Amino acid sequence: MDPHRSLRASILFALGAAGCSSSSTASTGSGEPAVVAIATPTATASAEPEPPPDPEPDADRGRPVSKGIGWITEKDGSVHRGSRTTCDTAIQKTTCAGTENHLSCRADADCKSGPNGRCTSGIGQVGTYCSCTYACEKDEDCGADEVCVCRGTGTLSAPHSVCAKAACKVDADCPESSCGLSVFNNGCHEQVSLACRTKADACHTDAECHGRAGARGGGACVVRGVGTRDAASLQWECGYRSCVIGRPLVVGGEARAAGTASREDWRTSADIDIESLSPDLRAALAEHHAAAAAMEHASVASFARFSLQLLALGAPAELVAEAHRAALDEVEHARLGYGIASRFAGRALGPSILPEATAPLAADMVGVVEALVEEGCVGETLGAAEGMELERRAADRGLAEALARIAEDEERHAQLAWRSLKWLLEVGGEEARCAARRAFARAVSQYGRDPEDGPVVREDLGVLSARTLGRLRREVLAEVVEPCRAALGLAS
Ligand SMILES: [Fe+2]
Ligand SMILES: [Fe+2]
């Protein structure tokens, strides 16, 4: 059985590689497709551990165990803020050398839009880059509804202090509890915020979130929506990696997406039967689909930026036109996604602002090729396969129809990525080929392992398990991406 034959054939056909045959161009010489095995990490082969039972509600939850000054870390690892502090403004990052692939700054003097700005170097999905990094010293360096969180506080991984959205600023703002620090890495970026703990919280420590809801490890007790939701409705709960694959908007090496807002103008009506679902399940499904819709919304910016890069590099009209069409497809995907999320939430949801859409844009050959390989050739090909799998498993007709529309478009986007890469290799020579090889190697190792389950897994309702997703990705890397690489002379 060859479940990915049609996706492989359609991309090879778009490349003009094999006249729609999967075995002639991308072959091993024996007439068989050049399929390679993508190793499954050992951890994923083990049996699913039994999730521990949900903890009993704790009457003491929400009260600070310790009183004190500054940042207070309790024995259980939770962190709260006793009083305002002054932070060290050191930034433990390498200074920009000026030889990086993308330069959104060249010197510290270019970094004026925040406190203590430095132009620093990094390596991300788009290769090496320079961007401004800021470090606050005190709350006054941040916005009116923000506080300065010092480097090394709790599980904060940023190598410098950061401004964080705050529904409370110190413990005294939370009369019967404490003002907790939430650090949540959703797989794309780190979200840092502060909010009062309450007795209604679903969790108190990160340890309580390990292994719950069918997840294999990972997870953190976090609060989301600070700054966008009413403070009284904020609740601490387990958060898991939810950043979904597709064509991400990568700025400064990180995928960016808008937050969720209450609005009517970014959704289609979704005809999904929700009567039999519990309120908790509906809320979890709404959050998952809103996160996916935000990534579709970010893809609009990603394609808009890609079309400008194609123009800058002198691409054929047909590729530029298709990049613009793809951006319009992504508008529709975002509307469909927010339509599904709104249906589960029972209220209208849409995106908040996305300032990164207009971040400075470079168009050097190496950077464009590396980003295209990871975000387009690998990301969109996996996204297309994932969309087909979701549609196949969806039990609800309305949901299946929306997913079918998205999957069909994503397949066309994958074709566009591979055709764009073919053109870039033709004009970019050996430098472009080396960049593509590097990027494929990175992407295969990144996507060859299982992601982490989120708080809800309902394959009939559009949420695949980490195990299904990991297996699917490894299959597609071996049976679609590898033969298409071979067709371009880039076999691993
Ligand atoms: Fe999409
Ligand atoms: Fe797409």
Side-chain angles (χ1 to χ4, degrees):
M1 195 178 130
D2 185 358
H4 307 296
R5 182 191 175 90
S6 127
L7 179 60
R8 180 177 61 235
S10 82
I11 294 172
L12 287 171
F13 183 67
L15 286 174
C20 215
S21 157
S22 65
S23 59
S24 57
T25 303
S27 78
T28 55
S30 62
E32 288 299 308
V35 169
V36 297
I38 303 291
T40 308
T42 14
T44 64
S46 60
E48 185 105 18
E50 278 297 304
D54 285 0
E56 290 297 314
D58 176 357
D60 286 339
R61 174 171 295 156
R63 282 194 226 141
V65 180
S66 311
K67 291 202 185 295
I69 55 169
W71 296 101
I72 301 158
T73 303
E74 298 293 346
K75 282 202 185 99
D76 61 13
S78 65
V79 176
H80 56 104
R81 197 180 194 219
S83 64
R84 290 169 187 253
T85 47
T86 301
C87 298
D88 175 4
T89 58
I91 296 174
Q92 296 186 330
K93 291 179 85 172
T94 311
T95 301
C96 176
T99 52
E100 289 80 354
N101 294 339
H102 301 268
L103 297 174
S104 60
C105 59
R106 288 177 182 276
D108 294 350
D110 296 336
C111 300
K112 300 270 183 222
S113 55
N116 308 300
R118 273 190 49 212
C119 183
T120 57
S121 177
I123 303 174
Q125 286 183 316
V126 291
T128 55
Y129 64 91
C130 287
S131 62
C132 290
T133 306
Y134 298 96
C136 49
E137 184 181 15
K138 46 196 181 321
D139 292 357
E140 288 71 22
D141 290 339
C142 304
D145 56 350
E146 294 179 331
V147 304
C148 182
V149 181
C150 302
R151 173 167 51 89
T153 306
T155 55
L156 182 71
S157 70
H160 53 86
S161 55
V162 297
C163 291
K165 289 278 179 205
C168 58
K169 295 194 172 178
V170 292
D171 289 342
D173 296 337
C174 309
E176 292 181 8
S177 60
S178 62
C179 180
L181 173 70
S182 165
V183 178
F184 176 42
N185 187 331
N186 73 352
C188 285
H189 55 273
E190 194 168 58
Q191 300 163 344
V192 187
S193 53
L194 282 87
C196 293
R197 299 282 191 167
T198 75
K199 287 183 178 171
D201 292 341
C203 58
H204 190 75
T205 66
D206 292 349
E208 291 171 48
C209 300
H210 295 171
R212 279 177 63 185
R216 282 191 296 277
C221 185
V222 297
V223 64
R224 280 169 282 186
V226 175
T228 57
R229 271 190 232 159
D230 176 24
S233 70
L234 296 171
Q235 219 194 348
W236 290 71
E237 58 195 6
C238 293
Y240 299 88
R241 289 185 174 233
S242 58
C243 190
V244 286
I245 196 168
R247 189 174 181 112
L249 167 64
V250 179
V251 175
E254 287 183 11
R256 314 295 176 116
T260 306
S262 293
R263 59 192 294 176
E264 286 280 0
D265 53 355
W266 265 96
R267 62 162 180 159
T268 55
S269 69
D271 182 20
I272 302 169
D273 182 11
I274 57 168
E275 294 312 314
S276 60
L277 309 179
S278 71
D280 283 356
L281 179 57
R282 272 188 241 171
L285 288 166
E287 185 170 333
H288 172 88
H289 285 286
M295 297 302 284
E296 301 281 10
H297 172 262
S299 294
V300 181
S302 182
F303 273 113
R305 291 163 69 87
F306 181 53
S307 69
L308 295 177
Q309 289 173 318
L310 286 173
L311 281 170
L313 292 169
E318 170 218 9
L319 291 180
V320 175
E322 280 193 43
H324 280 272
R325 270 184 222 115
L328 290 176
D329 291 339
E330 300 293 4
V331 171
E332 203 49 33
H333 295 183
R335 295 181 69 233
L336 285 163
Y338 282 118
I340 294 168
S342 300
R343 176 71 177 146
F344 285 125
R347 62 194 178 91
L349 299 177
S352 60
I353 58 169
L354 183 58
E356 295 89 351
T358 56
L361 183 63
D364 62 288
M365 177 63 70
V366 167
V368 172
V369 166
E370 289 190 355
L372 176 66
V373 165
E374 294 189 39
E375 299 162 23
C377 299
V378 177
E380 292 267 29
T381 303
L382 292 178
E386 191 176 322
M388 290 172 201
E389 187 71 16
L390 282 168
E391 178 206 345
R392 202 174 63 74
R393 291 173 185 251
D396 184 279
R397 198 171 56 83
L399 183 64
E401 280 172 10
L403 294 170
R405 159 74 201 270
I406 293 175
E408 196 183 309
D409 291 343
E410 296 297 357
E411 183 170 346
R412 218 171 41 253
H413 299 174
Q415 293 167 5
L416 168 63
W418 285 95
R419 282 180 25 242
S420 302
L421 178 62
K422 184 182 181 185
W423 175 76
L424 285 164
L425 295 178
E426 282 165 13
V427 297
E430 200 44 38
E431 190 187 32
R433 300 193 87 76
C434 289
R437 280 207 174 85
R438 271 198 308 274
F440 272 119
R442 260 200 314 268
V444 167
S445 87
Q446 182 185 346
Y447 294 122
R449 54 178 85 102
D450 282 357
E452 286 186 7
D453 271 326
V456 61
V457 173
R458 280 293 297 263
E459 302 201 330
D460 58 330
L461 290 170
V463 190
L464 297 178
S465 70
R467 179 171 294 184
T468 300
L469 206 47
R471 192 189 62 232
L472 177 73
R473 288 178 181 177
R474 286 187 289 278
E475 277 177 18
V476 175
L477 287 171
E479 295 169 22
V480 182
V481 171
E482 188 64 30
C484 294
R485 280 175 70 175
L488 292 177
L490 295 169
S492 58

